[in-house]
Amino acid sequence: MERLLIEPFYVMKVLERAKELEREGRKIIHFEVGEPDLPVPEIVKEKALEALKRTELRYTETAGIPPLREKIAEYYERTYGVKVNPEQVIVTPGSSIGLLAVLKVVSERIGSVAYPDPGYPCYKNMLKFLKADSEPVNVEAEEEFKVKPEKLKTKAVVINSPSNPTGVVYTKEELQKISEKAFVISDEIYHGLTYGRGAPSVLEVTDNAVVVSGFSKFFLMTGWRVGWLIVPDWMVKDVVAILQNVAISAPTLSQIAALACFEEECLEELRRNVETFRKRKDLMLSGLKKLGFRIPAHPQGAFYIFADASAFTEDSFSFAFKVLEETGVAITPGRDFGYNKTERFVRFSFCTDERNIEEGLDRLYVFLR
Ligand code: PMP
């Protein structure tokens, strides 16, 4: 593959090929995408339409519109019982750019940043892009793919709970121990989407940590590009200055629409969606096991299953392509998530309905037999 300034997502190769096949008329089952398929609540769309008629949609304050920062702060108090000053909440155009800004600040002001391998690829890719000191920390199937504090040698670490690609959720005790060893950047973008106990926030164990989160997953608003950061007071100015330069502000319309997310009626609808995801997860999990995939960690949140495919392949990258060509089922090769035994793993996402999940499993059955 051509060498770029920042590593691309390998799954894009799968997606490109899947789209080609679709253009040729094949029905593709999409188990590769990490984007919820359920509709955005009406109340959010209404809020946006109303704003479109009423306002001129100029830039906003870089840190976001004050009522949204306040609502996010209140949401943390209600959900996690933690006090957050709205001044610490910074609204971003999607959490990704917020993540880039905090990785820059933490690596400059604190030191080397560790990231889980396997883990969400952007941590490694952004840190390399920033030429920041960084270090992978291997997370192992036998340890539920969790960062173990005793392995940490850096002053800072980025963790992700519920996790992409494994769906594991850190307990409060685990967060506590990690935060005693290193400054934590906690990617909580999948919060709200949990299938057992809820996921604790890092803010329940320390004030001196960063939360990266947003409206893309539980709130279903991927394309609206709106996320948030919660940062300690000492970080606010640096982060805002970076965002001023690279983004000016998050999309005004999306910020206004996002206010509706915190209405009780909207939250209730979103919570009901979690049941839909739970059913899909159960269906896919039992189906994959029957097919012979080993699932070392059952997902407790998010919408992914990280499956050990070593019964079928030693090279999950070519396996993903072979599966796509022969069955029309698109999956993500483990290679996207790092180097630690990832050639054995593939990620399945359940962002598609139960009928498609059944059909995908049937097609895999025929292929693997
Ligand atoms: N963190 C993780 C772990 C993710 O999976 C994603 C989306 N795939 C993001 C952050 C970024 O989401 P967004 O920029 O849409 O807020």
Side-chain angles (χ1 to χ4, degrees), residues 34 94-96 120 123 160 164 187 189-190 216-217 225 304:
S95 71
S96 303
Y120 183 51
Y123 310 142
N160 179 210
N164 176 6
D187 181 346
I189 188 89
Y190 292 98
S216 287
K217 307 294 175 176
R225 307 314 297 133
Y304 308 108

Side-chain angles (χ1 to χ4, degrees), residues 9 33-35 92-99 119-123 126 159-165 187-190 212-217 221-228 302-304 337 347:
F9 295 168
V33 286
E35 174 165 27
T92 57
S95 71
S96 303
I97 193 85
L99 181 66
Y120 183 51
C122 297
Y123 310 142
M126 287 184 187
I159 56 171
N160 179 210
S161 167
S163 145
N164 176 6
D187 181 346
E188 303 185 357
I189 188 89
Y190 292 98
V212 178
S213 196
F215 293 94
S216 287
K217 307 294 175 176
M221 295 174 69
T222 36
W224 298 68
R225 307 314 297 133
V226 56
W228 70 78
F303 31 59
Y304 308 108
F337 306 100
R347 187 195 73 177

